[in-house]
Amino acid sequence: MKSFKSTRVVSAILFCLMFLPAIAAAAPAKVAVLPFTINSDKDYTFLQKGIVEMLSSRLASPGKVEVLDPIATTSAMAEAKGLSGDKLAQAVAGKLGADVAIHGSLTVLGESVSIDAKTLDITGGRQPLTFFKQTNGMGEVIPQINLMAGEINSKLFGVTPQAAAPAPAAAAAGAAVAVGAGAAASSAPADIHMHPEKLLQNGQVASAEGLPPSPLVGAAAPVQQTSSTLNPAFVAAPGVQAGGDPGFWKSRSYDHLINGIEVGDVDKDGQQETVVATPDRIFIYRFVQGKQQSVAEIKGGLVRFIGVNIGDINRNGTPEIFVTAFASNLNALESSVYEFDGRQFAPIVQKSRYYYTVVRNSALGDILLGQKQVSDESIYADPIYEMAWKGGEYVPERQVLKRKGNLLGFAYGDIMQNGSESIVVLDESEQLQLLTPDGKRQWMSEDKYGGTMLYYQPPSKAIGNLNTISYLPIRIRTADLDGNNKLEVLVIQNHDRTRRLMTQQRIFSSGQIEALAWDGLGLAPAWKTRTLSGRIQDFAIGDFDNDGTNELLIAVVTKEGAVIFTDAQSSLVAFDLKPAK
């Protein structure tokens, strides 16, 4: 009898052990929803909170998905100081014991909003999901978040998406009356300050009839004055109103700084590539039909990349990639040049002591300019030359400017429309100067332009002395974008909260690109892009997305990062260019 009882006990234990994996597998997945980063000049805290609440309510599924307490998530984020992106999500999930973390950002550009989100499975059992959506108005944000939650439930957890909460009887009756009365009533804008669940009725944005209009989407919202020729997002003369087309495209957010960009066909495949310089790598992308393709990656080693240009200077039919770089201690130039050899992008010049830039001349083609850093006193003290390919290297051939400028903030062309070259430079005080080739000043701006966090640190001449950094100027271009046969000077203007009063500290909040044109007395504003949140580091002009039309492509840094190479955030923004016919 005793043996029979023992057998039954053992059988029961074995039976339980057989089903333990199934029981464990049935445990609900724990999800941490991090508050989205909001990139905007305005306060959207209410929207940030609403997105967390909506994702939490939509994702939660009894027995399958457990969304962790938002307060605990916020507390874990506060403890993970200095982290961002995937690293922050991993730290928060690890702290809370979550299986999946969801993080993202919203970038607000006027009336348009870009939603950028990602899921991260800490257990490694699920592939990450990425989401990107560009909306034309705040009213579309909540419906897109609702769709995103449904996709996460379906693809990640195998849960059938929840249907949107049915509208109350009174609201449904009101909707029926509105339809019968006419379309005007049904098109009333939603109040984006409403709770997200109330904004959705039967999967659609709820009407805000009877509520005060939102200051962002209501009829009384202010309309920016914009250009009707080049792009609806460019600010022009008073009285020109915006069209319905937002006029821009935004990439996903990259978890690194972007120090330079350029567009060109660098692998001779007949399509344009976008070359992106980060502090330690060069990324080569191809954008086709809105999709990003990775072409190649070049690692920098012990140098810091600060700028990139493209041009076929050795005239062999394959454009070279000119990368201006500093040594790791930032006190000497170590630039390099790469060229596609049919298999890879191979270096043809390394450890060059020159700053490089390429300008495009309608008659002469690509022209390489170089400036050797000889003086330790100033980055503006050395002459600028046109360079030529001779004997397997790039050598100075014709002096363009004796001094007064640094090549990183330099451009030239027939700016004054007098048949001869004029030069524009950003001087040491970051004011724009218009010069003749012999260096005589014709005009100088009252405003400061440029503005970057990149700097040169000259070697100290005395033991124990602290080095004084010199902030670098940034890109200037000349181009006839509106097709009126007159060159405009395109220059970045970043807005520093310290107003450039602090020589060793800068805090940039926003920026825009301004086009200036010669009016007989000086360079006068012609148009400018809308203000972008963050710092503009570089820009390029070209058909970056291979749609047959040129764009103004801008590199925007929205988060500088705690230290070099880490915890930064950047993106690319492109504006279509449609010159008048």
Side-chain angles (χ1 to χ4, degrees), residues 124-146:
R126 305 173 182 87
Q127 290 294 321
L129 298 178
T130 58
F131 306 87
F132 178 76
K133 181 66 177 178
Q134 185 172 300
T135 73
N136 190 16
M138 277 290 185
E140 298 179 26
V141 172
I142 295 304
Q144 290 301 328
I145 295 296
N146 181 56

Side-chain angles (χ1 to χ4, degrees), residues 33-241:
V33 180
L34 282 64
F36 280 28
T37 302
I38 307 294
N39 302 313
S40 175
D41 289 335
K42 298 182 180 180
D43 183 9
Y44 289 114
T45 304
F46 70 92
L47 186 59
Q48 185 182 52
K49 181 180 178 182
I51 289 172
V52 172
E53 292 180 359
M54 184 169 192
L55 284 175
S56 299
S57 65
R58 282 287 188 266
L59 293 174
S61 179
K64 294 185 177 181
V65 181
E66 176 189 346
V67 180
L68 301 181
D69 182 9
I71 296 178
T73 302
T74 303
S75 177
M77 288 178 64
E79 294 180 18
K81 295 180 179 179
L83 299 180
S84 63
D86 285 355
K87 293 181 181 179
L88 176 61
Q90 289 174 343
V92 170
K95 176 75 175 178
L96 301 178
D99 302 304
V100 175
I102 301 172
H103 65 98
S105 65
L106 262 72
T107 302
V108 183
L109 298 173
E111 292 296 317
S112 298
V113 185
S114 296
I115 307 169
D116 202 341
K118 183 179 181 180
T119 68
L120 191 66
D121 189 340
I122 309 304
T123 67
R126 305 173 182 87
Q127 290 294 321
L129 298 178
T130 58
F131 306 87
F132 178 76
K133 181 66 177 178
Q134 185 172 300
T135 73
N136 190 16
M138 277 290 185
E140 298 179 26
V141 172
I142 295 304
Q144 290 301 328
I145 295 296
N146 181 56
L147 293 174
M148 182 175 73
E151 191 172 344
I152 293 173
N153 264 334
S154 175
K155 293 184 177 180
L156 216 59
F157 304 121
V159 176
T160 302
Q162 300 179 29
V177 170
V179 171
S186 63
S187 62
D191 182 356
I192 60 173
H193 293 80
M194 293 173 67
H195 190 280
E197 297 296 343
K198 293 182 180 180
L199 275 169
L200 284 176
Q201 295 181 358
N202 297 324
Q204 302 297 324
V205 182
S207 169
E209 188 175 9
L211 297 174
S214 162
L216 285 174
V217 298
V223 179
Q224 284 198 39
Q225 295 172 336
T226 60
S227 170
S228 60
T229 55
L230 272 178
N231 189 287
F234 291 174
V235 180
V240 182
Q241 300 299 316

Side-chain angles (χ1 to χ4, degrees), residues 232-255:
F234 291 174
V235 180
V240 182
Q241 300 299 316
D245 181 8
F248 72 90
W249 165 92
K250 178 187 174 295
S251 74
R252 65 179 177 87
S253 294
Y254 302 103
D255 292 332

